[in-house]
Amino acid sequence: MPHISEEDRDQRILRTLEQADRRPGPDHLEFPDGFDHPRARRLLTELHARLEKEFSHPCTVDRHVQDASFHALVGVPAEATEAGVHIGIRLSTYADLAVITLPSPGIHQSLDDAVTQGDLTETDRRRVESALSELGFTTVPEHFLHRPYDGVTPLNEFRNPDHPATWWTRFFDYI
C-alpha cells in the first residue's frame, strides 16, 4: 500500500467532511436522508465487541443519543488502557465518521499530542484505530473539528452568535 503524505491525508479528510456536509438531509441536522439505523447499530455492536476483545475488559456503550449529529458513544475505561486514561469514541450519523477523544473532547488536538503527553500509548492507539478502520470508519482528528463551521447547512442560524458552530457541532455534538 503506498504511503500517503500528511498533506494528502489532511486534504482527503477535509474533502470527506465537505462531502458529508453536502449530503441531503431532512429538515433537521441530526442525520442525512437514507441514514441506515440498523446498519449503524450493527457496526456499533461490532465495534463494541471488538474493543472489549482488544482491551480484555468491558467497555461502555451509549446507544441512546438523541438530538445530536452523532448516534453513539463508546468508552474504553481507564483501567483497561496502558496509559490509565479513558478513551472515548463518538460515531457520527454522517459518512461513517468517528472521533477519538482522550479523556474527553477538546483535551488533545490530535492523537499524536495525546501520545506525547502520555495519555495514550501507541499500542492502544493502534487497537482503536484498527478496529475503526476495519469496520469502515474514517477517524477525524479533533483539530479539524474545532474550526468554525462554514458549511452548507443553516447550522449557525440556530446558534448563539457568541458561540458559533464548529465542524465538531456539525458531526459530533448535540444540536
Side-chain angles (χ1 to χ4, degrees):
M1 186 158 105
H3 176 72
I4 298 172
S5 73
E6 189 172 328
E7 183 178 334
D8 287 344
R9 185 202 68 217
D10 289 355
Q11 288 303 314
R12 187 177 293 175
I13 290 170
L14 288 172
R15 278 192 307 275
T16 299
L17 292 176
E18 290 166 357
Q19 289 170 349
D21 187 49
R22 287 192 293 277
R23 289 187 64 188
D27 293 333
H28 53 79
L29 298 167
E30 294 174 20
F31 54 86
D33 286 345
F35 177 65
D36 188 341
H37 291 277
R39 178 182 172 278
R41 293 292 181 181
R42 181 180 50 79
L43 288 173
L44 172 61
T45 299
E46 289 178 31
L47 176 63
H48 183 235
R50 168 81 184 265
L51 291 174
E52 285 191 335
K53 181 179 178 187
E54 288 290 331
F55 286 91
S56 301
H57 198 281
C59 295
T60 61
V61 64
D62 181 356
R63 295 176 175 90
H64 304 290
V65 176
Q66 295 181 5
D67 302 324
S69 56
F70 68 103
H71 66 91
L73 295 163
V74 181
V76 179
E79 60 270 16
T81 69
E82 291 179 351
V85 175
H86 175 268
I87 299 172
I89 302 155
R90 286 188 185 207
L91 303 178
S92 179
T93 56
Y94 287 84
D96 293 331
L97 301 175
V99 66
I100 302 167
T101 60
L102 299 138
S104 60
I107 302 297
H108 298 286
Q109 289 295 310
S110 70
L111 296 181
D112 292 337
D113 179 46
V115 169
T116 299
Q117 292 188 23
D119 285 340
L120 180 67
T121 64
E122 283 294 338
T123 300
D124 286 349
R125 177 184 186 164
R126 278 192 303 279
R127 289 175 180 168
V128 175
E129 287 182 327
S130 292
L132 288 166
S133 176
E134 289 171 18
L135 290 170
F137 290 97
T138 298
T139 302
V140 181
E142 267 196 81
H143 69 275
F144 286 106
L145 301 169
H146 297 304
R147 297 176 305 121
Y149 177 71
D150 59 357
V152 299
T153 72
L155 185 58
N156 276 312
E157 292 176 20
F158 309 109
R159 305 282 298 185
N160 177 331
D162 294 332
H163 301 287
T166 62
W167 286 87
W168 173 273
T169 312
R170 177 67 175 106
F171 294 119
F172 294 103
D173 206 355
Y174 293 92
I175 302 290

